[in-house]
Amino acid sequence: MRALRNHGQGRVSLVEVRDPVPGPGDALVRIEASAVCGSERGALIEGVDGNTGHEAAGIVVEPGASRFRAGDRVGLSAVVGCGECDRCTAGQELHCRRGPRSAAKSGGWHAELAVVSASALRELPFGMDTGVGALFTGDALGVPSRGFGRVRSEPAERVLVIGLGPVGLGHVLVRAFEGAEVVAIEPAEFRRDLALKLGARAVGAPGDDIGHRPRLVIECSGRPESIAYALDVVDNGGVVLQSGECHSDVPINPSKTFIRREITYTGAWYYATEDYPAMCALHERGLPLAHMCTHDVDAAHAQDAITDFLGQQAGKVLLRWT
Ligand SMILES: [Zn+2]
Ligand SMILES: [Zn+2]
């Protein structure tokens, strides 16, 4: 099969690799479309053996232990649990007692075939194109949808989104669709313009005056200075939802932040089975998820799209494998 090979420094190519063979109970899926996640930036720059694709949809070849049949169109969830503990049986596999794990069993999903855990397969809404399906069952919708479930916003409420990578853009789309007055901060003009198309009321660059304090700030850049800004700019009694990954320490003054100003600082990671009905409901109500996609290309032309992605000249990048 063909698969994307990530050489580092943003260079990619398609290489021929051996077809993966499913182990007992695992599913084999013919990938029709894969999407590039914002979290792949580091691996694209540093290089990795294979690729780090983890948003994809396609056709079931071998259903393994799943309830699906060969030929079914499915999206893939990148995170699964043991399937047996109380959290997993409640649809909360992100909090699996034995630890959440990657659904990928044959490497990254920027490839023509993938072996995955059977529980990773998700039924796509009727008639949904597998390109949109890759966004629908991936981080693109899963992360902002779960975030909305964790911290809701009211119609006409002001919500500040900091950082407009793919996840930040997803938050803009979902919050605006739910009626919030979204303000977004981002250095790259291309992404600011895209946020306006996705429903943001106003956009600005870091340092711009954003007007009165929002009750909810969604931090998507993961940069320590942006997190400090989010905690500073949120209204007293408000909430900061951390969505951008940040693995470094951030100094916080607990008395000032949590006691005097009564701010709530929380986060949300990926999505789980318990979130899927709400995601399907967004689709049924007409969420224009495809508008996030700025690059929809044959996988053979991945390089140009990924160069744009790394240059912050892209929303979601879709690679087609058929
Ligand atoms: Zn991701
Ligand atoms: Zn479990």
Side-chain angles (χ1 to χ4, degrees), residues 81-88 93 96-99 101:
C82 73
E84 292 166 358
C85 72
D86 61 325
R87 289 304 192 109
C88 282
E93 57 271 23
C96 172
R97 302 287 180 194
R98 298 188 182 102
R101 63 209 70 176

Side-chain angles (χ1 to χ4, degrees), residues 2 4 12-14 297-305 319-321:
R2 293 178 308 153
L4 195 75
V12 296
S13 66
L14 289 192
V297 301
D298 188 288
H301 304 300
Q303 180 66 74
D304 287 349
L319 305 180
R320 301 277 183 170
W321 294 91

Side-chain angles (χ1 to χ4, degrees), residues 4-70:
L4 195 75
R5 177 81 194 266
N6 180 349
H7 302 282
Q9 310 297 325
R11 287 189 310 109
V12 296
S13 66
L14 289 192
V15 293
E16 198 65 35
V17 298
R18 193 169 296 177
D19 286 2
V21 177
D26 291 337
L28 177 66
V29 175
R30 181 169 298 285
I31 304 287
E32 290 196 337
S34 62
V36 177
C37 177
S39 68
E40 295 188 65
R41 167 175 291 275
L44 284 163
I45 292 168
E46 286 154 27
V48 63
D49 188 20
N51 70 76
T52 53
H54 55 271
E55 295 181 85
I59 307 294
V60 175
V61 178
E62 293 185 34
S66 75
R67 63 186 172 84
F68 293 92
R69 290 181 298 185

Side-chain angles (χ1 to χ4, degrees), residues 187-206:
E189 185 180 8
F190 180 93
R191 291 164 154 189
R192 291 199 300 266
D193 289 346
L194 183 52
L196 289 171
K197 290 178 190 143
L198 296 177
R201 189 70 59 88
V203 292

